[in-house]
Amino acid sequence: MIRRELEYFFGAIRFFTRLPVPAWVGHTAEALSHSARYFPAVGLVVGGIGALVYWLALCLWPQPVAVLLSMAATIYATGGFHEDGLSDTADGLGGGWDKQRILDIMKDSRVGSYGVIAMVLALLGKFVLLSSLAPALVPWALLAGHAVSRFCATTLLATMDYVRDDALSRAKPLATRLSGGNLFVALCFAVAPLVWLPWWKALAGVALATVMTLWLAVKFRRWLGGYTGDCLGAVQQVAEIGFYLG
């Protein structure tokens, strides 16, 4: 039982990051579908890396430099996976006029103007918002922001349909509708880091992350009738910014 759950957790780590996992961890579509409940836990790992780099850098440099280095560390850890999803989603919704055209644009490896603008604004937004927080609050904000935003993306797995028919899609194994029990497990990982933040800041962060998620979910349902893997990345990025803003 424990070994199986560890396999699911490490499977999520392998899918969403570049971090190494034990050699005994298998890779099957079924295992990956069960890994969805650990997406916020992956956020704790990635946020923890960013928090550690920030704390060490703050011993040597001003806060903006420490924030920049922590952001670089989290992007390196994930390979820019979610940022790429945000870029593709912005290109698709910005340049497409119907479902198929939007999906085609999102699948195109080239980055358009909408995607570039979205990435620049997202990175600048996170940098400015984190640099504006009290220095001691940033590590906890990173932990909570990464965990909560990944839970926001996970809610799409429980409430919406996967719309891309391409069997070769990397996110296809995640298309199984998430059960209420698995969603509750994911919620526990998302809530855990909030206890280290002032309750009114945590509440405001969660509220704005929720608003951002609902805003994107409405767009996805209207234009696509569901979500794709890129949509999950877009929700993670936008919800993370919403949390920091709160």
Side-chain angles (χ1 to χ4, degrees), residues 30-48:
E30 181 183 2
L32 185 57
S33 68
H34 288 296
S35 299
R37 57 179 173 265
Y38 290 113
F39 294 168
V42 174
L44 290 177
V45 173
V46 175

Side-chain angles (χ1 to χ4, degrees), residues 185-205:
V185 173
L187 177 62
C188 291
F189 286 110
V191 169
L194 296 176
V195 301
W196 301 104
L197 293 170
W199 69 267
W200 64 92
K201 292 182 180 293
L203 183 61

Side-chain angles (χ1 to χ4, degrees), residues 31-83:
L32 185 57
S33 68
H34 288 296
S35 299
R37 57 179 173 265
Y38 290 113
F39 294 168
V42 174
L44 290 177
V45 173
V46 175
I49 292 172
L52 178 61
V53 170
Y54 169 84
W55 180 74
L56 293 174
L58 195 61
C59 298
L60 298 173
W61 296 293
Q63 182 176 352
V65 178
V67 168
L68 181 64
L69 292 176
S70 73
M71 289 175 57
T74 58
I75 292 173
Y76 181 79
T78 62
F81 190 55
H82 304 297
E83 287 81 1

Side-chain angles (χ1 to χ4, degrees), residues 124-181:
L124 283 177
K126 284 187 277 190
F127 174 77
V128 171
L129 291 168
L130 288 169
S131 298
S132 301
L133 294 177
L137 201 62
V138 173
W140 307 116
L142 284 167
L143 277 172
H146 279 273
V148 169
S149 61
R150 281 164 174 79
F151 175 76
C152 290
T154 304
T155 61
L156 268 64
L157 299 175
T159 59
M160 300 177 70
D161 296 322
Y162 186 77
V163 296
R164 194 176 287 283
D165 296 327
D166 185 1
L168 298 179
S169 172
R170 187 181 179 189
K172 184 68 174 177
L174 302 177
T176 304
R177 186 66 70 96
L178 200 67
S179 68

